């Protein structure tokens, strides 16, 4: 049976969540919206339109969505040449590829942003394909991106594992019927990730790589929901 290792990118393989928070905060501020950074952080991982609905409400004037998204993209684009990968992110992807897993990125990033993230992670030799929110009608937390990623990997949900750092990742994976692994490096508490469906939680990619043989990536193993070295 073909096996798929599905990975979110922002906050999971690259240390970019707080850059997104600052860029969204500035875009919103310039448009006259006073939104707390904490509230923006909780919405990171959603497609732009859904993020704006989360922080501004469903009853907002949606004609402002495109200008806000464009402003965020412009601000975030100033970091494209120096996006920081998380420690051992590339090593983790290569190790899974070596073990026969088909690695697929499942992300809301688009075009130039996705290219910059892939350059930062620097593991294209281990990546089979990429699924973005542009490829489906609904982004995370809907299961559509995960279903699409499984199709790209030509692998069933049974035995597939999704790694992410947000509740949206865990919800999308759970709804698609794949095992979910949460990482704390995106800034979301362990309890929230577990409530959203995380089967196991690790601090960051290096921690998951160190414990790969007792993780959901290893046949016959079912890791506990909270490892001793994981913490909120």
């Amino acid at each position: 049976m073909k096996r798929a290792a599905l990975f979110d990118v922002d906050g999971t393989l690259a240390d970019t969540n707080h850059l997104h928070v600052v860029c969204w905060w500035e875009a919103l501020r310039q448009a006259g919206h006073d939104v707390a950074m904490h509230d923006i952080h909780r919405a990171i991982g959603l497609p732009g339109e859904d993020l704006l609905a989360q922080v501004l409400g469903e009853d907002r004037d949606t004609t402002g969505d495109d200008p806000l998204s464009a402003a965020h993209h412009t601000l975030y684009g100033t970091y494209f040449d120096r996006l920081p990968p998380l420690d051992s992110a590339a090593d983790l992807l290569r190790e899974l590829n070596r073990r026969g897993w088909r690695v697929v990125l499942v992300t809301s990033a688009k075009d130039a942003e996705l290219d910059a993230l892939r350059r930062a992670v620097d593991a294209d030799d281990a990546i089979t394909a990429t699924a973005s929110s542009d490829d489906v009608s609904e982004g995370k937390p809907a299961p559509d991106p995960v279903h699409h990623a499984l199709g790209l990997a030509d692998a069933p949900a049974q035995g597939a594992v999704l790694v992410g750092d947000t509740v949206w990742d865990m919800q999308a994976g759970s709804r698609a019927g794949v095992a979910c692994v949460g990482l704390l490096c995106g800034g979301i508490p362990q309890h929230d990730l577990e409530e959203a469906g995380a089967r196991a939680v690790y601090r960051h990619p290096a921690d998951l790589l160190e414990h790969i043989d007792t993780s959901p990536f290893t046949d016959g193993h079912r890791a506990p929901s909270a490892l001793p070295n994981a913490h909120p």
Side-chain angles (χ1 to χ4, degrees):
M1 183 176 68
K2 296 172 183 175
R3 301 182 299 176
L6 314 179
F7 279 83
D8 174 58
V9 185
D10 281 303
T12 300
L13 299 174
D15 191 12
T16 51
N17 278 8
H18 290 88
L19 294 177
H20 277 296
V21 170
V22 170
C23 292
W24 276 114
W25 176 84
E26 178 60 17
L28 289 159
R29 187 197 67 80
Q30 290 178 5
H33 300 290
D34 182 15
V35 181
M37 289 192 185
H38 173 78
D39 292 330
I40 298 171
H41 180 223
R42 302 291 292 190
I44 294 298
L46 291 171
E49 180 181 344
D50 296 332
L51 180 147
L52 292 171
Q54 185 85 2
V55 300
L56 296 179
E58 296 286 354
D59 59 347
R60 72 196 183 286
D61 179 2
T62 56
T63 61
D65 285 6
D66 286 345
L68 281 167
S69 292
H72 163 265
H73 182 75
T74 298
L75 290 162
Y76 187 66
T78 63
Y79 296 102
F80 278 0
D81 62 349
R82 58 190 189 281
L83 296 178
L86 283 156
D87 184 38
S88 297
D91 293 339
L92 174 60
L93 300 189
R94 290 192 176 103
E95 177 60 20
L96 289 169
N97 176 259
R98 186 188 69 78
R99 293 180 181 217
W101 291 80
R102 295 189 172 189
V103 176
V104 180
L105 305 184
V106 187
T107 176
S108 297
K110 305 173 184 179
D111 304 329
E113 180 182 336
L114 178 55
D115 290 341
L117 286 165
R118 291 184 70 152
R119 288 195 302 271
V121 176
D122 193 22
D124 276 0
D125 54 294
I127 297 171
T128 298
T130 299
S132 78
S133 58
D134 285 341
D135 300 321
V136 294
S137 57
E138 288 189 71
K140 305 172 196 174
D144 304 36
V146 180
H147 288 312
H148 179 59
L150 291 170
L152 293 174
D154 190 24
Q158 180 185 9
V161 179
L162 179 135
V163 181
D165 66 294
T166 70
V167 296
W168 320 117
D169 296 320
M170 302 301 101
Q171 289 172 0
S174 296
R175 291 169 182 172
V178 307
C180 295
V181 170
L183 299 184
L184 298 176
C185 44
I188 300 302
Q190 178 175 333
H191 173 75
D192 292 7
L193 295 172
E194 291 173 343
E195 276 204 333
R199 178 177 296 179
V201 177
Y202 302 85
R203 291 185 179 182
H204 37 56
D207 188 24
L208 174 54
L209 179 59
E210 182 181 350
H211 295 92
I212 198 73
D213 288 327
T214 54
S215 78
F217 282 109
T218 301
D219 292 338
H221 288 84
R222 287 296 178 266
S225 61
L227 295 179
N229 59 345
H231 61 274

